[in-house]
Amino acid sequence: MVFSSFFSINKEFIKKNYLSILKQGELSEEQIQRLIKGKPLDLNIIIHASSGSDGQSPLLIPRSKEDIDDIAQRVLKRYVELYKSLPKKIALLGGISHTQTALKYKMSDSEGITFSLDEIDKLIEYNPDLISCYPSVIREIISYPELDLPNLKMIKLGGERLFKSDIEKIKSCFPQVIIIEQYGSTEMSAIALKIHNPEPVDETFQLQ
């Protein structure tokens, strides 16, 4: 949520003002109608979707490649600080946002591939540097009996509630992996980040 001195902007605000917000953007009327009907847009527009964790249908948000690039740079800032480069292999699991990003967005020196939960063998073979998924998905991944991801350096989680028990289980499986909890990037240009590992946990989210 982003606060100002006058009002707050959150998912409910966006839902209530959805059409008005779309019309204030750079989409044409034809593109807006295609989006509402769930039809594909051109390659320069990446559709992100809210997680639906509130029990309602996901909210579709059109984003530009420049917008996605800006978000990616902020999310990966800690990774770059530690490893002096971007992750070369990124595994994306779950959701419209990940599928669209893998298809339409390419980051310099990095590749992103989507996987489903019945493709963990392929995920292991891919051996990513970074995994991005929902907390419910990482619970399934770390319970896989033959899990071996020696190149994994960072796990980015968001879209659902992350419990302390999740963090402890991930740490026990991947002691040195950076664990980032992130919210807000679907609906907002600002993102809230919390780094859980390998440093001591900071209980506050940092607005990026």
Side-chain angles (χ1 to χ4, degrees):
M1 185 181 293
V2 179
F3 292 95
S4 76
S5 58
F6 300 103
F7 59 87
S8 64
I9 299 175
N10 54 24
K11 190 183 292 185
E12 290 306 314
F13 176 89
I14 295 174
K15 286 180 179 178
K16 183 177 178 181
N17 298 277
Y18 189 60
L19 266 179
S20 174
I21 292 170
L22 289 178
K23 289 178 179 178
Q24 291 177 46
E26 297 181 1
L27 295 183
S28 66
E29 185 62 36
E30 180 184 356
Q31 288 173 321
I32 291 174
Q33 293 306 314
R34 290 183 67 84
L35 177 66
I36 291 171
K37 294 174 182 178
K39 295 182 178 180
L41 301 179
D42 64 59
L43 290 175
N44 291 316
I45 301 172
I46 298 170
I47 303 300
H48 273 194
S50 59
S51 64
S53 56
D54 56 2
Q56 300 182 28
S57 298
L59 184 66
L60 299 181
I61 310 289
R63 310 298 289 264
S64 68
K65 288 183 177 180
E66 291 79 12
D67 196 12
I68 302 302
D69 188 60
D70 176 61
I71 293 170
Q73 296 299 325
R74 283 181 279 163
V75 171
L76 295 174
K77 179 180 177 182
R78 184 61 179 143
Y79 186 104
V80 173
E81 287 174 349
L82 282 177
Y83 299 108
K84 311 304 178 188
S85 67
L86 292 169
K88 293 189 180 302
K89 293 183 177 181
I90 301 173
L92 308 161
L93 291 96
I96 296 171
S97 305
H98 281 155
T99 302
Q100 283 266 311
T101 300
L103 284 173
K104 296 183 177 182
Y105 175 71
K106 303 299 177 186
M107 192 163 48
S108 173
D109 298 322
S110 302
E111 68 171 6
I113 296 180
T114 56
F115 296 88
S116 60
L117 275 176
D118 60 1
E119 295 178 316
I120 296 182
D121 284 337
K122 293 181 180 179
L123 175 67
I124 293 172
E125 183 179 349
Y126 183 60
N127 195 13
D129 300 295
L130 185 154
I131 290 176
S132 178
C133 63
Y134 297 139
S136 57
V137 173
I138 201 65
R139 290 179 201 124
E140 295 293 328
I141 292 174
I142 62 176
S143 67
Y144 193 75
E146 299 176 4
L147 187 64
D148 183 24
L149 298 169
N151 286 349
L152 188 63
K153 299 177 182 69
M154 178 173 161
I155 297 172
K156 185 193 77 69
L157 302 166
E160 299 170 351
R161 186 177 178 184
L162 183 65
F163 297 97
K164 184 177 180 180
S165 59
D166 294 323
I167 297 297
E168 294 306 318
K169 289 176 182 177
I170 297 169
K171 283 183 179 181
S172 66
C173 192
F174 303 110
Q176 299 305 315
V177 167
I178 306 167
I179 303 170
I180 288 187
E181 187 177 3
Q182 176 217 325
Y183 298 103
S185 62
T186 300
E187 295 90 355
M188 308 291 174
S189 56
I191 54 177
L193 291 178
K194 184 191 290 187
I195 299 175
H196 291 278
N197 204 41
E199 299 100 340
V201 175
D202 182 350
E203 293 301 327
T204 61
F205 280 90
Q206 300 297 316
L207 197 62
Q208 299 283 330

